[in-house]
Amino acid sequence: MAKKTAVLIGAGKIARGYVGELFMGEGYHVTFVHHRQEFVDGLRNQGQYMVYRFNNNGEREDLLMTDFDVICSKTEQQAYLEALAATPYAAVVTFPGAFDDIAEDLTKAIRLRYERKVTEPLAVLMCVNTVGPAKYFEEKILKALNKEEADYFHTYVGLVETLVMRLCTPPAEELLKEDPYSVSTKVNPMLPVDVHGFRPGHEYPAFFSLEEKVPGKLVKKIWCGNLEHCCLAYYGNYYGHRYVHEAARDAYVRRCTYYAGQEANAAVAAAYGFTAEEMAFDVPAKWGRNMMDHVPDPLKRVGADPVRKLGKNDRFIGPALLSLKMGKLPYFIAKGAACGFYFDLPDDKGAQRVQAYIKENGIEKAICHFCTLDVADETERRLYELILSAYRELSAFDPAVK
């Protein structure tokens, strides 16, 4: 009997330390796909990597991952497409900047499956932190398919939104020196998936948690949970902290982050019909866990790429606009976004791009540019003014000093 397979488009820490670990743990042979040949060669030659998994008591379990291949999407595209054409499971585990290229690759693979009359269903898991990924990929793919291929797509290919619910970070420096592909992570044996995203005929892995309302839960995760995480990063970085657990111990940062989360929770609950029980999340208890000490999470990682995270559909502007539309004032969300415009890290290309734009064009234009806000729209203008006022409040400007 042929071994079960899964193709993970992306080979970062979430792919290796969460999605890949779950599939390999259930006996699947995993193929990681990455765009950089140097990375592919290194992981392929090493042939294994470690996952350091911590429980809530800080106890570590070392898992050696070996049952995988690695393919370069640029130089080995035919092998990549062949893998997609033959697997029942694929997963997109990348940042949104790669979505268009991946949609094109998936289109080619779907066309190949159609030509070969493959009737085994393909589930493409959307393991990404963005709102509405299934709809985005479906529109891109269908635009490139003819009617017969589109019919095949609707019958045999499911785009399945998921909730990425495990923290994956670089391990301690001494462990990373031993294995540059190793990952530190927390215990979480499940991957929540949208039960309505699949086509008939799948055998679900045991680690799938088949759930309802996943698109709405994904909005809640990004616009509430990820918002709080990134608030800790941007508020924390502004006030001189380096790690999430350090920022969470700062009472002011903790308070601002908490209230930003409350603003987002209220807006999302009202817009998506979640009950108080469904929105319940014990944030103070989560921040108080020693887990953050056992798996230290650098603020530079959490806040990385502010160009994306300050975007209109992402974790600050999305819930802030929704809050305004619900008749509420997103004061703490806006201030968190303003802190994001102070996220000036020399080794973060996105952060440097933001700072260069501010220096050349001013903060007023930068807010409109990176948050894609139209000041001619009343709601968007109000948010623009909130962010601008918060940015000015945080600035070092002193009107008494010439």
Side-chain angles (χ1 to χ4, degrees), residues 65 96 106 112 133 186-187 191 248 267 273 286 307 319 356 369 380 384 395:
M65 315 310 296
L106 286 171
L112 195 59
K186 297 192 294 184
V187 171
L191 177 67
K286 184 186 89 165
V307 171
H369 177 74
E380 296 190 13
Y384 160 81
S395 75

Side-chain angles (χ1 to χ4, degrees), residues 3-4 6 15 89-90 120 138 158 189 242 248 276 284 298 308:
K3 192 173 181 64
K4 298 175 289 187
Y89 282 105
E120 181 183 34
E138 182 174 14
R242 295 177 57 206
R308 173 171 63 92

Side-chain angles (χ1 to χ4, degrees), residues 57-317:
N57 295 320
E59 299 165 336
R60 194 180 90 189
E61 178 185 10
D62 296 356
L63 304 175
L64 182 63
M65 315 310 296
T66 60
D67 194 7
F68 65 87
D69 288 318
V70 197
I71 292 175
C72 180
S73 60
K74 301 299 183 184
T75 63
E76 302 169 308
Q77 189 171 78
Q78 189 56 41
Y80 166 32
L81 295 179
E82 290 289 344
L84 286 174
T87 190
Y89 282 105
V92 179
V93 201
T94 65
F95 292 118
F99 282 5
D100 287 352
D101 287 341
I102 294 171
E104 185 176 340
D105 295 335
L106 286 171
T107 301
K108 292 176 182 176
I110 291 165
R111 191 172 283 129
L112 195 59
R113 293 171 77 101
Y114 166 75
E115 292 170 353
R116 294 177 179 177
K117 297 181 172 57
V118 177
T119 57
E120 181 183 34
L122 168 65
V124 183
L125 307 175
M126 302 281 124
C127 302
V128 296
N129 278 321
T130 187
V131 172
K135 181 180 179 182
Y136 184 90
F137 273 89
E138 182 174 14
E139 289 176 352
K140 289 286 184 180
I141 291 169
L142 287 176
K143 188 175 181 181
L145 298 177
N146 63 34
K147 184 182 183 305
E148 292 74 18
E149 293 165 343
D151 290 342
Y152 175 87
F153 168 81
H154 287 303
T155 303
Y156 296 110
V157 181
L159 303 180
V160 184
E161 294 190 352
T162 76
L163 301 174
V164 175
M165 303 299 287
R166 188 193 284 189
L167 173 69
C168 294
T169 67
E173 188 174 348
E174 62 272 15
L175 297 175
L176 199 59
K177 285 181 180 179
E178 294 177 9
D179 178 1
Y181 299 97
S182 60
V183 182
S184 282
T185 186
K186 297 192 294 184
V187 171
N188 183 352
M190 304 302 293
L191 177 67
V193 298
D194 181 6
V195 67
H196 300 293
F198 296 94
R199 302 300 183 218
H202 271 290
E203 294 182 6
Y204 301 123
F207 62 82
F208 276 7
S209 174
L210 301 172
E211 299 195 11
E212 303 279 349
K213 295 185 178 181
V214 167
K217 289 177 181 177
L218 185 57
V219 171
K220 184 177 74 168
K221 176 183 181 294
I222 296 171
W223 287 5
C224 299
N226 286 8
L227 162 73
E228 291 162 353
H229 204 196
C230 207
C231 272
L232 284 176
Y234 288 165
Y235 275 109
N237 177 77
Y238 180 85
Y239 287 103
H241 303 296
R242 295 177 57 206
Y243 293 95
V244 168
H245 66 272
E246 293 174 351
R249 289 177 183 151
D250 183 316
Y252 180 75
V253 171
R254 190 166 64 242
R255 184 164 59 250
C256 290
T257 297
Y258 172 78
Y259 283 118
Q262 292 299 296
E263 291 168 351
N265 284 356
V268 170
Y272 289 88
F274 288 116
T275 65
E277 290 75 17
E278 289 173 319
M279 293 302 298
F281 190 58
D282 195 351
V283 174
K286 184 186 89 165
W287 294 345
R289 288 178 189 161
N290 291 331
M291 179 56 62
M292 289 299 186
D293 294 321
H294 301 308
V295 189
D297 200 2
L299 297 184
K300 66 179 182 180
R301 184 200 74 81
V302 179
D305 192 10
V307 171
R308 173 171 63 92
K309 290 170 181 171
L310 291 170
K312 195 168 192 176
N313 202 38
D314 218 284
R315 56 209 72 193
F316 288 95
I317 308 309

